[in-house]
Amino acid sequence: MFYFDPATGDYESWWGVKTLPKLNWGSALVRERMTAVLKRWLGPLDGWRVDVANMTGRRAADDHLHEVAALLRAELGPGAALIAEHNHDASPDLDRDGWHGTMNYGGFTRPVWAWLRGPETDLEHFLGVPGGIPERDGLATLATFRSFAAHLSWRSYVHSWQLLDSHDSPRVRTVTGSRERHLLAAGLQATLPGTPMIFAGSEFGLTGVNGEHSRTPHAVEPPRRPGPGDAGRLPRAVRAAQGRARPAARRPALAARRRRLPGVRAGDVRGVDRGVRTAGAGRAAHARRAPHRPLPRARRRRDTG
C-alpha cells in the first residue's frame, strides 16, 4: 500500500510530512479501500476535489494517474463531481474518462490576475512563482484563454472550475486593489465558459496576501431579531457587501442568461477582441460578444477510454 526505503525501512510521505504517507496506487488494496472511502461520503457531499491531483498515482517510473482517475470516476457514478487540483497546465491529465475538470489556475486565474492587477499590487509570488504578478493587456489575456482552452476537450473545459482565488492564494480583492476591478473579474468568471467557483468571503471583498492570510475567519452569523439596545446584526459594511454580491441568490437568473446567450453557451469569446478595454481611470472595462456570423465548429476530441 505504501513505498518503503529498503535501506532504512522508513515509508515515503508527501513532501516529508509523515502524517501524509505516499500511497502506492499499484496496490489492489489501496484501490479497494480508497474507493470505499470516497463512496462512503457521497450523499453529504456532491463529489470530490482531489488535492494535488497531478501527483496522484505518480512516483518515479510509476504513473497510474489516468487509470486511477478513471477508476474513481467509475466507482463514484455519474452524479458525483471529480475535480483535480492542478496549478499548472492540466491538459495532459484530463479526459480519458477520468477527472471531470481541473481548478483552472493556469487558463483562467493567472491571466485574469495579470490583466486586472492593481497598479500598487506588490506580492512576493505569482501563485507560487517568485517575482510578483506580471502585467498583461486585454488582448494578451484573451490569447491566453484561447491557448489553454485549445488543449482541452469541451467537456473538460466547461466542467473545470474558473476561480479568482482560493484558500491557497491571495484574495482577488488584494490582487485587483479595487472594487471596480474585482467586479470586472467576477463578470469574466460568470460569463466565460466553465464552472464559476467562489472562495468563501471573496463575495464580501475580503483581502489576504497569501493562502494563510486568506483563511482568516470572518463573521458569518445570520441576522437575528434585535433586542432592546441591540442592533443584533452583522456590521453595516458586511451587510452592504452581502446585498451587493450574493451569488447564490442570483444564480438562477445568471444560469438563465448564460443559456440565452449563444456566445456564452457555445464558448465563443471572439467578441472580447472588440470589447476589452484597459481598466483604469476614465475607461470602461467590459467583455461583450460582438455581432458576427457563427464561427465554424472545430471537431472535438472523443474520449477513447
PDB file of all heavy atoms in Angstrom, residues 183-203:
ATOM      1  N   LEU A 183     -15.023  43.555  -9.567  1.00  0.00           N
ATOM      2  CA  LEU A 183     -16.307  43.276 -10.222  1.00  0.00           C
ATOM      3  C   LEU A 183     -16.107  42.862 -11.678  1.00  0.00           C
ATOM      4  O   LEU A 183     -16.832  42.001 -12.194  1.00  0.00           O
ATOM      5  CB  LEU A 183     -17.218  44.500 -10.139  1.00  0.00           C
ATOM      6  CG  LEU A 183     -17.796  44.815  -8.764  1.00  0.00           C
ATOM      7  CD1 LEU A 183     -18.605  46.105  -8.800  1.00  0.00           C
ATOM      8  CD2 LEU A 183     -18.656  43.659  -8.253  1.00  0.00           C
ATOM      9  N   LEU A 184     -15.138  43.459 -12.350  1.00  0.00           N
ATOM     10  CA  LEU A 184     -14.861  43.051 -13.727  1.00  0.00           C
ATOM     11  C   LEU A 184     -14.381  41.604 -13.755  1.00  0.00           C
ATOM     12  O   LEU A 184     -14.808  40.807 -14.597  1.00  0.00           O
ATOM     13  CB  LEU A 184     -13.817  43.968 -14.348  1.00  0.00           C
ATOM     14  CG  LEU A 184     -13.328  43.570 -15.748  1.00  0.00           C
ATOM     15  CD1 LEU A 184     -14.492  43.468 -16.715  1.00  0.00           C
ATOM     16  CD2 LEU A 184     -12.299  44.564 -16.247  1.00  0.00           C
ATOM     17  N   ALA A 185     -13.505  41.241 -12.823  1.00  0.00           N
ATOM     18  CA  ALA A 185     -13.042  39.855 -12.743  1.00  0.00           C
ATOM     19  C   ALA A 185     -14.204  38.909 -12.496  1.00  0.00           C
ATOM     20  O   ALA A 185     -14.299  37.833 -13.105  1.00  0.00           O
ATOM     21  CB  ALA A 185     -11.998  39.722 -11.638  1.00  0.00           C
ATOM     22  N   ALA A 186     -15.122  39.304 -11.606  1.00  0.00           N
ATOM     23  CA  ALA A 186     -16.294  38.477 -11.334  1.00  0.00           C
ATOM     24  C   ALA A 186     -17.172  38.352 -12.573  1.00  0.00           C
ATOM     25  O   ALA A 186     -17.783  37.302 -12.809  1.00  0.00           O
ATOM     26  CB  ALA A 186     -17.090  39.060 -10.171  1.00  0.00           C
ATOM     27  N   GLY A 187     -17.253  39.409 -13.383  1.00  0.00           N
ATOM     28  CA  GLY A 187     -18.023  39.337 -14.619  1.00  0.00           C
ATOM     29  C   GLY A 187     -17.437  38.341 -15.601  1.00  0.00           C
ATOM     30  O   GLY A 187     -18.171  37.579 -16.251  1.00  0.00           O
ATOM     31  N   LEU A 188     -16.111  38.316 -15.723  1.00  0.00           N
ATOM     32  CA  LEU A 188     -15.466  37.323 -16.578  1.00  0.00           C
ATOM     33  C   LEU A 188     -15.735  35.911 -16.055  1.00  0.00           C
ATOM     34  O   LEU A 188     -16.033  34.991 -16.826  1.00  0.00           O
ATOM     35  CB  LEU A 188     -13.956  37.584 -16.624  1.00  0.00           C
ATOM     36  CG  LEU A 188     -13.498  38.854 -17.332  1.00  0.00           C
ATOM     37  CD1 LEU A 188     -12.005  39.065 -17.114  1.00  0.00           C
ATOM     38  CD2 LEU A 188     -13.794  38.777 -18.832  1.00  0.00           C
ATOM     39  N   GLN A 189     -15.653  35.756 -14.758  1.00  0.00           N
ATOM     40  CA  GLN A 189     -15.884  34.448 -14.149  1.00  0.00           C
ATOM     41  C   GLN A 189     -17.307  33.949 -14.414  1.00  0.00           C
ATOM     42  O   GLN A 189     -17.523  32.767 -14.648  1.00  0.00           O
ATOM     43  CB  GLN A 189     -15.622  34.551 -12.644  1.00  0.00           C
ATOM     44  CG  GLN A 189     -15.785  33.252 -11.890  1.00  0.00           C
ATOM     45  CD  GLN A 189     -15.644  33.452 -10.394  1.00  0.00           C
ATOM     46  OE1 GLN A 189     -16.244  34.353  -9.818  1.00  0.00           O
ATOM     47  NE2 GLN A 189     -14.849  32.615  -9.759  1.00  0.00           N
ATOM     48  N   ALA A 190     -18.259  34.865 -14.399  1.00  0.00           N
ATOM     49  CA  ALA A 190     -19.663  34.477 -14.528  1.00  0.00           C
ATOM     50  C   ALA A 190     -20.092  34.255 -15.973  1.00  0.00           C
ATOM     51  O   ALA A 190     -21.092  33.575 -16.212  1.00  0.00           O
ATOM     52  CB  ALA A 190     -20.559  35.543 -13.893  1.00  0.00           C
ATOM     53  N   THR A 191     -19.362  34.794 -16.935  1.00  0.00           N
ATOM     54  CA  THR A 191     -19.844  34.757 -18.312  1.00  0.00           C
ATOM     55  C   THR A 191     -18.988  33.922 -19.259  1.00  0.00           C
ATOM     56  O   THR A 191     -19.482  33.500 -20.308  1.00  0.00           O
ATOM     57  CB  THR A 191     -19.952  36.184 -18.888  1.00  0.00           C
ATOM     58  OG1 THR A 191     -18.690  36.847 -18.766  1.00  0.00           O
ATOM     59  CG2 THR A 191     -21.016  36.982 -18.147  1.00  0.00           C
ATOM     60  N   LEU A 192     -17.739  33.688 -18.933  1.00  0.00           N
ATOM     61  CA  LEU A 192     -16.920  32.837 -19.794  1.00  0.00           C
ATOM     62  C   LEU A 192     -17.258  31.363 -19.540  1.00  0.00           C
ATOM     63  O   LEU A 192     -17.755  31.009 -18.481  1.00  0.00           O
ATOM     64  CB  LEU A 192     -15.434  33.095 -19.539  1.00  0.00           C
ATOM     65  CG  LEU A 192     -14.905  34.442 -20.045  1.00  0.00           C
ATOM     66  CD1 LEU A 192     -13.448  34.614 -19.634  1.00  0.00           C
ATOM     67  CD2 LEU A 192     -15.029  34.545 -21.561  1.00  0.00           C
ATOM     68  N   PRO A 193     -17.011  30.499 -20.516  1.00  0.00           N
ATOM     69  CA  PRO A 193     -17.308  29.073 -20.314  1.00  0.00           C
ATOM     70  C   PRO A 193     -16.551  28.522 -19.112  1.00  0.00           C
ATOM     71  O   PRO A 193     -15.447  28.963 -18.792  1.00  0.00           O
ATOM     72  CB  PRO A 193     -16.827  28.429 -21.614  1.00  0.00           C
ATOM     73  CG  PRO A 193     -16.838  29.529 -22.616  1.00  0.00           C
ATOM     74  CD  PRO A 193     -16.498  30.776 -21.869  1.00  0.00           C
ATOM     75  N   GLY A 194     -17.158  27.558 -18.460  1.00  0.00           N
ATOM     76  CA  GLY A 194     -16.553  26.968 -17.285  1.00  0.00           C
ATOM     77  C   GLY A 194     -17.506  27.019 -16.116  1.00  0.00           C
ATOM     78  O   GLY A 194     -18.631  27.512 -16.226  1.00  0.00           O
ATOM     79  N   THR A 195     -17.076  26.511 -14.984  1.00  0.00           N
ATOM     80  CA  THR A 195     -17.891  26.464 -13.777  1.00  0.00           C
ATOM     81  C   THR A 195     -17.337  27.458 -12.768  1.00  0.00           C
ATOM     82  O   THR A 195     -16.235  27.247 -12.236  1.00  0.00           O
ATOM     83  CB  THR A 195     -17.874  25.045 -13.176  1.00  0.00           C
ATOM     84  OG1 THR A 195     -18.349  24.115 -14.153  1.00  0.00           O
ATOM     85  CG2 THR A 195     -18.744  24.978 -11.928  1.00  0.00           C
ATOM     86  N   PRO A 196     -18.047  28.561 -12.497  1.00  0.00           N
ATOM     87  CA  PRO A 196     -17.528  29.546 -11.541  1.00  0.00           C
ATOM     88  C   PRO A 196     -17.391  28.936 -10.142  1.00  0.00           C
ATOM     89  O   PRO A 196     -18.281  28.245  -9.666  1.00  0.00           O
ATOM     90  CB  PRO A 196     -18.586  30.655 -11.551  1.00  0.00           C
ATOM     91  CG  PRO A 196     -19.336  30.467 -12.831  1.00  0.00           C
ATOM     92  CD  PRO A 196     -19.318  28.995 -13.094  1.00  0.00           C
ATOM     93  N   MET A 197     -16.254  29.177  -9.503  1.00  0.00           N
ATOM     94  CA  MET A 197     -16.039  28.751  -8.122  1.00  0.00           C
ATOM     95  C   MET A 197     -15.647  29.966  -7.292  1.00  0.00           C
ATOM     96  O   MET A 197     -14.690  30.661  -7.629  1.00  0.00           O
ATOM     97  CB  MET A 197     -14.938  27.703  -8.025  1.00  0.00           C
ATOM     98  CG  MET A 197     -14.863  27.026  -6.661  1.00  0.00           C
ATOM     99  SD  MET A 197     -13.191  26.579  -6.115  1.00  0.00           S
ATOM    100  CE  MET A 197     -12.590  28.136  -5.459  1.00  0.00           C
ATOM    101  N   ILE A 198     -16.398  30.242  -6.244  1.00  0.00           N
ATOM    102  CA  ILE A 198     -16.153  31.410  -5.411  1.00  0.00           C
ATOM    103  C   ILE A 198     -15.624  30.954  -4.065  1.00  0.00           C
ATOM    104  O   ILE A 198     -16.251  30.145  -3.380  1.00  0.00           O
ATOM    105  CB  ILE A 198     -17.437  32.242  -5.231  1.00  0.00           C
ATOM    106  CG1 ILE A 198     -17.946  32.708  -6.593  1.00  0.00           C
ATOM    107  CG2 ILE A 198     -17.189  33.435  -4.306  1.00  0.00           C
ATOM    108  CD1 ILE A 198     -19.279  33.417  -6.545  1.00  0.00           C
ATOM    109  N   PHE A 199     -14.477  31.462  -3.682  1.00  0.00           N
ATOM    110  CA  PHE A 199     -13.889  31.177  -2.380  1.00  0.00           C
ATOM    111  C   PHE A 199     -14.619  31.987  -1.312  1.00  0.00           C
ATOM    112  O   PHE A 199     -14.729  33.208  -1.417  1.00  0.00           O
ATOM    113  CB  PHE A 199     -12.398  31.531  -2.419  1.00  0.00           C
ATOM    114  CG  PHE A 199     -11.674  31.384  -1.108  1.00  0.00           C
ATOM    115  CD1 PHE A 199     -11.950  30.338  -0.243  1.00  0.00           C
ATOM    116  CD2 PHE A 199     -10.699  32.301  -0.751  1.00  0.00           C
ATOM    117  CE1 PHE A 199     -11.271  30.203   0.955  1.00  0.00           C
ATOM    118  CE2 PHE A 199     -10.017  32.178   0.448  1.00  0.00           C
ATOM    119  CZ  PHE A 199     -10.294  31.132   1.303  1.00  0.00           C
ATOM    120  N   ALA A 200     -15.135  31.298  -0.290  1.00  0.00           N
ATOM    121  CA  ALA A 200     -15.962  31.937   0.728  1.00  0.00           C
ATOM    122  C   ALA A 200     -15.307  33.204   1.269  1.00  0.00           C
ATOM    123  O   ALA A 200     -14.156  33.189   1.701  1.00  0.00           O
ATOM    124  CB  ALA A 200     -16.231  30.958   1.871  1.00  0.00           C
ATOM    125  N   GLY A 201     -16.057  34.300   1.250  1.00  0.00           N
ATOM    126  CA  GLY A 201     -15.579  35.576   1.753  1.00  0.00           C
ATOM    127  C   GLY A 201     -15.185  36.546   0.664  1.00  0.00           C
ATOM    128  O   GLY A 201     -15.212  37.763   0.866  1.00  0.00           O
ATOM    129  N   SER A 202     -14.824  36.029  -0.509  1.00  0.00           N
ATOM    130  CA  SER A 202     -14.433  36.937  -1.590  1.00  0.00           C
ATOM    131  C   SER A 202     -15.614  37.730  -2.114  1.00  0.00           C
ATOM    132  O   SER A 202     -15.442  38.815  -2.663  1.00  0.00           O
ATOM    133  CB  SER A 202     -13.763  36.159  -2.730  1.00  0.00           C
ATOM    134  OG  SER A 202     -12.461  35.764  -2.355  1.00  0.00           O
ATOM    135  N   GLU A 203     -16.844  37.184  -1.942  1.00  0.00           N
ATOM    136  CA  GLU A 203     -18.015  37.943  -2.368  1.00  0.00           C
ATOM    137  C   GLU A 203     -18.224  39.175  -1.493  1.00  0.00           C
ATOM    138  O   GLU A 203     -18.949  40.100  -1.864  1.00  0.00           O
ATOM    139  CB  GLU A 203     -19.263  37.051  -2.335  1.00  0.00           C
ATOM    140  CG  GLU A 203     -19.735  36.654  -0.954  1.00  0.00           C
ATOM    141  CD  GLU A 203     -19.081  35.393  -0.438  1.00  0.00           C
ATOM    142  OE1 GLU A 203     -17.941  35.083  -0.858  1.00  0.00           O
ATOM    143  OE2 GLU A 203     -19.696  34.710   0.398  1.00  0.00           O
TER     144      GLU A 203
END
